[in-house]
Amino acid sequence: FFLLKGKAERCTPLGKGLLPLAAVPAPKTLCAPLLMPLGLGRRKKASPLVENEEAEPIRGSLASAGMGPFGELGGMQPGLPPPPPGLRPRLVFHTQLAHGSPTGRIEGFTNVKELYGKIAEAFKIPGSEVLFCTLNTHKVDMDKLLGGQIGLEDFIFAHIKGQKKEVEVYKSEDALGLTITDNGAGYAFIKRIKESSIIDRIQLISVGDMIESINGQSLIGCRHYEVAKMLKDLPKGRVFVLKLIEPRKAFDMISQRSSGGKLGTSSQLGTGRGTLRLRSKGPATVEELPSEFEEKAIEKVDNLLENYMGIRDTELAATMVELGKDKKNPDEFAEALDETLGDFAFPDEFVFDVWGAIGDAKSGRY
């Protein structure tokens, strides 16, 4: 098109000249300026340690402002598609291997298993190598174990497989003195060793050791409560064989025997302004830090899990508190547990004690 004295004429080449084909009234502007959201014109190449997975959209995006993919106002251009996925904000966390490594950046995970996968991709190791993670410390500190929540500013240390061990244990008493937890991805490991217990007297066994098998029976894929029950059901007065894998240790950790946290310590780990809640079912959500009631109730329920079942699991405890905090009586609470956590088959006495613990926390009886 050519603009000549207030008219736009469409022309086509003919020999060396131009032949006018039609004349139309000139528009007020020939073309509208192209609005480009900041940063869309050129995207920097991601670091090799960063995965480009998408996070869930949040409020305040261009979509909520009525903006199209190129910045046009939705009211002026009806029917435009929603913003492309690349506009969606992401949560990025920093991570290292606990025994020493460069710092990596990970994102785009919604549960613990996906988190381990992202860590494995970042450091180019098999996902099966990751045993568990701790927050803000490279040491095997069970009070800093990553459970169902990550503070938005927490630093993640991944503990990977180290030396394999095989130990014969004589079960002279009913209780071995072990508390079991799992990593949410198929590995059960030792979270606590009771002082002066059978296991405490065996120096080769340490907190953080993954239990690979009992008497040759593989435990890969078993939940913590299943492993705890197997250990409890072992006959007294017999020898059994544990195959263990300890986490790979940094140089400053080689000579020490890691120990579990003390009972009654707080499970609140987050240093950020909020937490990313990882769920075994459903997407991860960003939440405010737990209230004092929730924090204390989770701690009390986690202690009950250890006393009744020989396991500790803050994610499970948090789920139980969430299910029980709005229920009016123990029967309603028991029904909610059966619907959501029926696989655990909690005994009635345990359910009643958990209901009481939640009620005590509500009333401020900590």
Side-chain angles (χ1 to χ4, degrees), residues 177-345:
L178 282 178
T179 298
I180 309 298
T181 191
D182 63 44
N183 69 352
Y187 294 162
F189 58 94
I190 300 171
K191 186 169 186 179
R192 198 187 314 281
I193 298 175
K194 187 177 180 181
E195 189 175 353
S196 302
S197 64
I198 295 173
I199 298 299
D200 189 45
R201 296 192 288 267
I202 304 174
Q203 290 297 308
L204 196 58
I205 301 177
S206 299
V207 166
D209 287 353
M210 190 264 279
I211 306 177
E212 187 177 23
S213 69
I214 299 174
N215 287 336
Q217 181 177 346
S218 174
L219 301 180
I220 306 302
C222 292
R223 293 299 314 273
H224 43 30
Y225 64 92
E226 296 172 311
V227 176
K229 186 176 186 304
M230 288 180 63
L231 290 168
K232 184 178 180 181
D233 291 345
L234 289 170
K236 183 178 174 181
R238 301 267 187 93
V239 173
F240 65 94
V241 178
L242 288 176
K243 283 189 177 180
L244 309 168
I245 302 178
E246 67 179 28
R248 186 172 174 182
K249 294 180 173 64
F251 181 77
D252 64 340
M253 297 163 58
I254 291 176
S255 62
Q256 61 180 325
R257 185 189 189 196
S258 301
S259 60
K262 297 178 180 178
L263 285 174
T265 54
S266 173
S267 60
Q268 177 57 45
L269 301 173
T271 59
R273 293 179 296 275
T275 63
L276 180 68
R277 175 79 182 274
L278 303 177
R279 303 173 187 273
S280 56
K281 297 179 181 179
T285 55
V286 177
E287 301 178 354
E288 296 295 324
L289 291 172
S291 64
E292 184 179 11
F293 148 67
E294 290 170 328
E295 187 178 338
K296 295 298 183 182
I298 289 169
E299 181 183 325
K300 291 168 80 72
V301 173
D302 203 20
N303 289 339
L304 287 171
L305 284 169
E306 182 171 27
N307 293 336
Y308 274 89
M309 304 177 67
I311 64 174
R312 289 192 78 84
D313 187 332
T314 53
E315 180 187 359
L316 176 60
T319 300
M320 297 179 78
V321 171
E322 190 174 316
L323 290 172
K325 64 183 181 182
D326 297 325
K327 298 299 180 289
K328 298 178 181 179
N329 55 62
D331 290 337
E332 286 187 7
F333 178 50
E335 288 179 7
L337 287 180
D338 288 341
E339 290 177 5
T340 307
L341 302 170
D343 293 343
F344 287 89

Side-chain angles (χ1 to χ4, degrees), residues 37-52:
L38 191 62
L40 282 185
R42 296 179 62 187
R43 297 186 62 184
K44 293 183 180 179
K45 187 177 180 181
S47 163
L49 294 181
V50 180
E51 296 300 317
N52 289 319

Side-chain angles (χ1 to χ4, degrees), residues 72-112:
E72 300 94 343
L73 289 176
M76 296 176 63
Q77 299 289 338
L80 288 174
L87 292 183
R88 299 174 183 176
R90 299 182 177 98
L91 293 175
V92 178
F93 294 87
H94 292 85
T95 183
Q96 287 182 359
L97 300 180
H99 64 276
S101 75
T103 298
R105 295 169 63 216
I106 56 174
E107 57 182 312
F109 55 89
T110 60
N111 56 51
V112 173

